[in-house]
Amino acid sequence: TPFTDAIRTASQAHVKPEGKKFSYGTAGFRMKAELLESVIFRVGLLAAIRSRKLGGKTIGVMITASHNPPEDNGVKLVDPMGEMLEGSWEKYGTQLANAETEDDLVEAFAQICEEQKINNETAANVVYARDTRPSGPLLVRALESGLSAVGANSVDYNILTTPQLHYIVRCLNSDGLYGTPSEAGYYEKLATAFIKLMENKAALGPVTVDCANGVGGPSLRKLAEYIPKEVLEFNIVNDDVDSPAKLNHQCGADFVKTQQKLPPGLEVTPLGRYASLDGDADRIVYYFTAQDGTFHLLDGDKIASLAASFLGDLAKAAGLGNIKVGVVQTAYANGASTAFIEKSLRLPVSVTATGVKHLHHEAATKYDIGVYFEANGHGTVLFNSNCLYLIQKGHEPKSPAEATALEYLRSLTDLINQAVGDALSDLLFVEVALAHKSWSVNEWSGLYTDLPNRLVRVEVEDRTIFQTTDAERKLISPPGIQELIDACVGKYKQGRSFARASGTEDAVRVYAEAASKGEADILAYKVAEVVA
Ligand code: 16G
Ligand code: ZN
């Protein structure tokens, strides 16, 4: 390729740690930041190839390690419509990252270009951003070095949340139809839709947002400037991005979801609304304390239930009774949420494997309005083209009430990030749903009661032998194990349990739920024993 010499020279400044094996996984590459420099340099090469393959469409590169500790970092690619990199291309990321020498690297680069029939004269366009981690600037320089070695045009968007970069990528590839491709364009789009949706709705009182001391803090502060206090007041906490050690430490969505408790130091008023973002602001959970001080979590399943209930009603009110509204969950969704959506809301639920790309794909292809959320708080709502057409012009409202509901739906398609799960967009969406229903957290929480559950991490010799089917709910390998799990589950009322290999850690995860906390705990440990 014309870039052989340039790649070879530039690569010498970003040497691969010898013998280290990298893999582009569910969330891209993620590890200790000091191991990442060569990987990110090579991701620059891949981003350029991907852009050329797609005729010069803009590709995004996000440098973040989400909810992981401050000393970690990571990188992932964003495809033109703001989705995750197409799955079949992940192997190229792995291939480039693992090339041991400069010779291996230029050869791998040439091989991928040949396999994908890349015309290296085609322009390559790449945009990138990073979160607030201290390792970010150095890694950005490695990325820039990779991009320039292969002649890519690039724009640095500096510090953004992950979903903001996804938004910008989508804008840049949508001829101005999705929005203005800038950070300010993002705030304006969300705030305008939000203010419209909150017109004539009673104020809810302030919402407190724990920003995990990550990039969500400064971003939410900027967003809040576009929203008058009378419409919604934000109380922003844990937004110290100048003390790296505080990032994701004893705060944030992952802490609250896994510990099922308040972030230490948070002052709470009973029945107030509290939310926590993760370190790159693509996940959110809500929670509150009752009058008696007990903690109540409103996780991704509760958000999905609220969203499905609100959107299902709105579609009917707009006279769009034939629109198919559905919910996508993973095996980790609480059984009580699935039962609520199917039996009380009478809406279909699909279950997919863990990982946003699986849920996103299912929601986009199966439903007109597809609500998807992982229990951990990552999710969004997708409106397909049929639905967008009906909302925008295809459906003639038959009454003023229908016209109003249609108008709401129109604003919601602007409010809700269509590219990826987005904590800031989800935050505003939840506030709108509660305001429209005139619900307090109590009423929202009371949609259903979570079944007690337990998650256990099991260290095993080789997690790759744990192969699953049926959206990770059943093991097909090692042989005989699933029968043993079934036998355990059968002993517990409302029992359900499954084991799957983690996609992000070297371990197997066991999930169990049952009618009581004690039984859920015992079931989880019994199944963990079977797996170990
Ligand atoms: C990744 C996924 C997340 C999933 C988690 C499961 C993306 C962007 N992120 O972080 O959605 O919940 O993996 O981790 O897809 P596990 O495989 O270790 O259980
Ligand atoms: Zn995240």
Side-chain angles (χ1 to χ4, degrees):
T1 69
F3 308 117
T4 301
D5 291 340
I7 295 174
R8 207 188 292 273
T9 312
S11 174
Q12 282 159 12
H14 312 285
V15 179
K16 176 182 181 294
E18 210 182 312
K20 173 84 189 150
K21 283 269 169 286
F22 299 109
S23 155
Y24 195 111
T26 343
F29 294 103
R30 204 178 282 182
M31 65 200 83
K32 293 273 162 288
E34 71 241 28
L35 294 171
L36 258 178
E37 202 186 316
S38 66
V39 173
I40 296 211
F41 169 78
R42 292 151 189 229
V43 163
L45 310 187
L46 181 63
I49 303 178
R50 182 75 183 146
S51 175
R52 290 195 168 109
K53 172 71 184 182
L54 301 174
K57 287 227 159 76
T58 302
I59 295 297
V61 180
M62 183 69 203
I63 299 180
T64 177
S66 186
H67 60 277
N68 288 36
E71 60 278 14
D72 289 9
N73 216 326
V75 63
K76 53 189 168 187
L77 289 192
V78 181
D79 260 357
M81 291 314 281
E83 331 87 307
M84 311 280 170
L85 172 69
E86 186 180 301
S88 63
W89 274 61
E90 292 176 2
K91 60 173 184 287
Y92 296 135
T94 304
Q95 188 183 349
L96 288 168
N98 287 325
E100 210 48 58
T101 64
E102 267 88 53
D103 285 343
D104 296 342
L105 181 59
V106 294
E107 198 186 308
F109 182 82
Q111 204 188 332
I112 298 167
C113 288
E114 196 188 307
E115 201 174 307
Q116 288 294 334
K117 306 198 168 49
I118 302 299
N119 175 358
N120 275 310
E121 316 250 286
T122 309
N125 296 297
V126 179
V127 296
Y128 53 91
R130 61 182 174 91
D131 68 13
T132 54
R133 286 163 202 270
S135 55
L138 186 122
L139 294 174
V140 160
R141 282 197 290 283
L143 176 69
E144 285 165 345
S145 155
L147 290 168
S148 75
V150 293
N153 309 314
S154 65
V155 181
D156 181 358
Y157 277 84
N158 300 305
I159 296 179
L160 290 180
T161 71
T162 296
Q164 284 177 327
L165 183 72
H166 285 252
Y167 161 88
I168 284 168
V169 169
R170 187 167 174 133
C171 290
L172 289 168
N173 292 302
S174 307
D175 297 325
L177 292 177
Y178 191 66
T180 310
S182 67
E183 191 183 351
Y186 170 93
Y187 299 128
E188 269 161 27
K189 180 174 177 176
L190 261 59
T192 306
F194 180 68
I195 291 166
K196 227 166 152 184
L197 283 156
M198 295 295 273
E199 251 169 46
N200 305 321
K201 301 289 162 198
L204 292 166
V207 59
T208 298
V209 187
D210 151 27
C211 300
N213 294 314
V215 60
S219 289
L220 180 57
R221 281 209 184 279
K222 289 183 223 166
L223 174 61
E225 282 169 22
Y226 291 78
I227 298 172
K229 278 209 168 50
E230 308 77 64
V231 178
L232 181 63
E233 198 179 331
F234 298 91
N235 176 23
I236 300 170
V237 300
N238 294 335
D239 64 332
D240 179 0
V241 294
D242 298 321
S243 316
K246 291 189 183 171
L247 174 66
N248 296 321
H249 182 69
Q250 303 266 338
C251 59
D254 199 63
F255 173 87
V256 174
K257 170 72 181 161
T258 54
Q259 306 286 316
Q260 311 241 343
K261 64 180 188 202
L262 297 171
L266 188 70
E267 281 170 33
V268 291
T269 315
L271 301 182
R273 298 189 314 295
Y274 297 85
S276 286
L277 319 179
D278 76 339
D280 64 338
D282 62 356
R283 279 168 60 180
I284 184 167
V285 295
Y286 267 74
Y287 44 91
F288 67 102
T289 57
Q291 294 290 7
D292 65 2
T294 50
F295 172 81
H296 293 266
L297 181 63
L298 301 154
D299 63 1
D301 300 339
K302 272 272 156 72
I303 296 174
S305 302
L306 173 68
S309 159
F310 177 46
L311 291 165
D313 288 352
L314 213 48
K316 274 191 213 116
L320 301 173
N322 292 330
I323 281 276
K324 197 169 177 200
V325 181
V327 178
V328 185
Q329 303 187 308
T330 72
Y332 289 107
N334 196 279
S337 73
T338 314
F340 169 76
I341 295 161
E342 288 181 337
K343 303 212 172 87
S344 301
L345 299 181
R346 299 178 175 281
L347 294 174
V349 174
S350 359
V351 183
T352 70
T354 306
V356 175
K357 63 184 176 212
H358 303 294
L359 291 101
H360 190 95
H361 179 79
E362 180 80 4
T365 52
K366 192 116 173 235
Y367 302 111
D368 295 313
I369 299 181
V371 176
Y372 76 84
F373 272 90
E374 290 192 298
N376 65 20
H378 193 151
T380 190
V381 179
L382 301 181
F383 300 85
N384 73 3
S385 54
N386 169 47
C387 180
L388 286 174
Y389 169 74
L390 289 173
I391 291 175
Q392 276 149 10
K393 52 178 179 280
H395 175 74
E396 194 57 50
K398 298 195 181 45
S399 67
E402 278 198 17
T404 307
L406 268 179
E407 194 57 45
Y408 287 152
L409 281 171
R410 237 169 261 148
S411 296
L412 285 167
T413 62
D414 284 335
L415 182 69
I416 303 172
N417 193 326
Q418 296 298 289
V420 75
D422 179 339
L424 299 183
S425 160
D426 290 340
L427 173 77
L428 298 184
F429 176 46
V430 166
E431 294 295 316
V432 165
L434 293 176
H436 279 237
K437 286 179 169 286
S438 309
W439 275 1
S440 69
V441 279
N442 236 341
E443 283 145 318
W444 175 18
S445 176
L447 288 178
Y448 61 85
T449 305
D450 273 321
L451 278 170
N453 56 87
R454 183 69 192 238
L455 192 63
V456 180
R457 186 179 184 279
V458 189
E459 307 268 349
V460 294
E461 198 140 296
D462 177 10
R463 79 184 201 277
T464 63
I465 62 170
F466 291 87
Q467 304 280 342
T468 58
T469 182
D470 191 20
E472 305 180 319
R473 289 174 292 189
K474 289 206 153 46
L475 282 170
I476 45 173
S477 144
I481 297 243
Q482 187 57 47
E483 288 72 15
L484 295 173
I485 295 177
D486 291 343
C488 293
V489 171
K491 293 187 190 130
Y492 297 90
K493 210 172 129 210
Q494 292 181 281
R496 184 170 74 90
S497 181
F498 64 91
R500 59 175 275 279
S502 159
T504 63
E505 289 170 37
D506 192 11
V508 166
R509 295 195 203 288
V510 170
Y511 175 87
E513 62 187 32
S516 72
K517 182 73 184 124
E519 288 168 301
D521 287 345
I522 301 171
L523 177 55
Y525 282 103
K526 287 256 148 75
V527 173
E529 268 172 26
V530 169
V531 169

